[in-house]
Amino acid sequence: QVQLHQSGPGLVRPSQTLSLTCAISGDRVSSDRTAWNWIRQSPSRGLEWLGRTYYRSRWHSEYADSVKSRITISADTSENQFSLHLNSMTPDDAAVYYCARDLPREPAAGIHNCFDSWGQGTLVTVSS
Amino acid sequence: EVVLTQSPATLSLSPGDRATLSCRASQSLSNYLAWYQQKPGQAPRLLIYDTSNRATGIPARFSGSGSGTDYTLTISSLEPEDFAVYYCQQRSNWPLTFGPGTKVNIK
């Protein structure tokens, strides 16, 4: 059974970079049957998909337009984890951030785009 | 962007009642709709994907239906652990979007 465990600071200063890591057990970050996502939730924005990384012969990363200029999601196969970096943080970025696994399916079927396993969430506050 | 509207915003029911939750999309989703349950302090939990497929371990009292722009999550007989917030999510069009949620609380 897959488990995702998030780590990283809950307080970020305005204009600084948020860095979170999601450690995977029970699956491989390099699996070709799934993708690894970051999603956030706030009272003002609701649930918002931020981006993902996945491996299909090579690494791919895709991002939501709303954060595309500020976000990087990458994988670390040696540690079996993936990370989120979101720079130029503002109070509007305050939210609970979740990592999530895409529902696995055969590679030829493509990414499912719904999320069957989630991390525990990290409450991120943006304040000086 | 596909906008999802969920109704009602709040549903007050008793254990044993039948719950019917609605999700309406701003354009056709071709059945690419999922439902999640979220309890306070927890991450969302996938219940249903592609309109009517129950995720692994989800009890049979949860069912989904719909087509086009209108989708429904039905809980046939509410158990105490079912009182939570329910979200729909579409994967038909980019970007992926979620609805604002329906809270099912105890009457």
Side-chain angles (χ1 to χ4, degrees), chain B residues 33-93:
Chain B
L33 185 94
W35 291 93
Y36 298 83
Q37 175 194 69
Q38 187 176 33
K39 297 179 182 178
Q42 297 184 16
R45 173 194 182 196
L46 179 65
L47 299 175
I48 302 283
Y49 63 94
D50 293 349
T51 298
S52 59
N53 297 285
R54 275 189 301 276
T56 302
I58 302 304
R61 64 181 181 272
F62 291 93
S63 63
S65 63
S67 63
T69 60
D70 293 309
Y71 297 84
T72 300
L73 173 69
T74 301
I75 310 171
S76 60
S77 178
L78 282 164
E79 297 288 339
E81 63 268 27
D82 298 338
F83 292 92
V85 180
Y86 293 83
Y87 295 95
C88 56
Q89 178 240 324
Q90 66 84 21
R91 69 176 189 94
S92 176
N93 294 280

Side-chain angles (χ1 to χ4, degrees), chain A residues 93-104:
Chain A
D93 294 311
V96 178
Y97 284 73
Y98 294 101
C99 59
R101 184 183 76 165
D102 214 278
L103 181 65

Side-chain angles (χ1 to χ4, degrees), chain B residues 16-32:
Chain B
D17 286 349
R18 181 182 187 89
T20 303
L21 287 66
S22 173
C23 179
R24 176 164 289 178
S26 58
Q27 56 188 276
S28 176
L29 300 182
S30 303
N31 289 352
Y32 293 140

Side-chain angles (χ1 to χ4, degrees), chain A residues 20-68:
Chain A
L20 297 176
T21 296
C22 184
I24 303 163
S25 58
D27 201 347
R28 295 176 296 115
V29 71
S30 57
S31 169
D32 62 0
R33 299 181 67 235
T34 189
W36 304 96
N37 301 267
W38 288 97
I39 296 163
R40 67 183 177 184
Q41 184 175 29
S42 66
S44 58
R45 294 175 175 268
L47 286 158
E48 181 184 15
W49 178 84
L50 298 177
R52 66 187 177 196
T53 190
Y54 58 95
Y55 186 79
R56 300 290 188 275
S57 303
R58 65 176 179 87
W59 285 101
H60 302 261
S61 295
E62 295 165 350
Y63 306 120
D65 286 346
S66 61
V67 294
K68 196 168 189 175

